[in-house]
């Protein structure tokens, strides 16, 4: 007669398989989370860049309006509060502006021609680094055309 050997039980093998599956699921979830965070940061950067472009355009429009009313206008630093941009107010009352727009108006040398002004605008949104987006633009305008409307 032959003696039947009982097969050894493999209770630990099921636990190892479950742990491996959990490890794989955790690694996939971590990779998806990392992709989501990087995409969110990219979109926020694009939003800041677009806002800086709009602020620079608004700075040009502001300078043109000021020059039309006051031909000796030389520029300013325009500080925008969060409420000016439709943002919620920060908790701290001592926080700075949400955006800065630097406007400089220069008189280029133009002997014998109509008086002109070079308007340079630099917009920073938000004004503090490391998340700052900056956009600069400039335009040369004749003062006589301000009363008739400026074509760019």
């Amino acid at each position: 007669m032959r003696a039947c050997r009982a097969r050894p039980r493999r209770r630990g093998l099921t636990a190892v398989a479950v742990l491996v599956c959990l490890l794989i699921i955790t690694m996939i979830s971590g990779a998806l989370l990392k992709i989501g965070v990087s995409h969110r940061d990219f979109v926020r950067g694009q939003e800041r860049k677009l806002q800086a472009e709009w602020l620079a355009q608004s700075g040009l429009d502001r300078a043109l309006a000021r020059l039309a009313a006051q031909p000796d206008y030389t520029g300013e630093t325009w500080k925008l509060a969060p409420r000016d941009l439709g943002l919620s107010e920060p908790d701290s009352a001592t926080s700075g502006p949400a955006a800065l727009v630097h406007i400089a108006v220069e008189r280029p040398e133009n002997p014998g021609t109509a008086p002109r002004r070079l308007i340079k605008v630099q917009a920073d949104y938000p004004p503090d680094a490391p998340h700052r987006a900056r956009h600069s633009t400039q335009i040369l305008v004749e003062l006589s055309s301000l009363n008739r409307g400026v074509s760019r």
Side-chain angles (χ1 to χ4, degrees):
M1 282 209 216
R2 286 173 51 184
C4 281
R5 286 189 186 174
R7 292 181 95 194
R9 293 191 174 192
R10 299 182 181 182
R11 292 183 188 168
L13 188 59
T14 305
V16 169
V18 168
L19 286 174
V20 168
C21 288
L22 286 174
L23 179 65
I24 291 171
I25 290 171
T26 302
M27 290 171 57
I28 292 171
S29 299
L32 290 174
L33 181 64
K34 186 175 180 179
I35 290 169
V37 168
S38 68
H39 182 69
R40 182 199 63 193
D41 292 343
F42 174 76
V43 169
R44 284 185 177 171
Q46 292 297 319
E47 175 189 3
R48 287 189 296 267
K49 180 181 174 184
L50 186 59
Q51 183 68 42
E53 289 176 21
W54 289 340
L55 287 168
Q57 182 61 45
S58 296
L60 279 177
D61 293 341
R62 183 180 178 104
L64 290 171
R66 295 279 172 98
L67 271 175
Q70 183 182 6
D72 59 342
Y73 174 71
T74 59
E76 64 184 296
T77 298
W78 183 21
K79 297 178 182 179
L80 291 110
R83 70 177 180 284
D84 296 334
L85 300 175
L87 303 173
S88 60
E89 291 287 336
D91 295 332
S92 173
T94 61
S95 66
L100 289 177
V101 180
H102 301 282
I103 303 169
V105 179
E106 299 174 0
R107 296 176 186 234
E109 296 198 19
N110 51 355
T113 62
R116 296 180 180 180
R117 298 293 183 269
L118 178 63
I119 303 170
K120 295 181 179 180
V121 178
Q122 176 181 304
D124 293 331
Y125 176 78
D128 58 334
H131 301 292
R132 174 179 49 221
R134 177 174 282 173
H135 187 78
S136 300
T137 188
Q138 63 183 18
I139 185 174
L140 183 64
V141 64
E142 290 186 20
L143 290 181
S144 60
S145 68
L146 289 177
N147 296 331
R148 294 180 276 137
V150 178
S151 61
R152 284 180 245 170

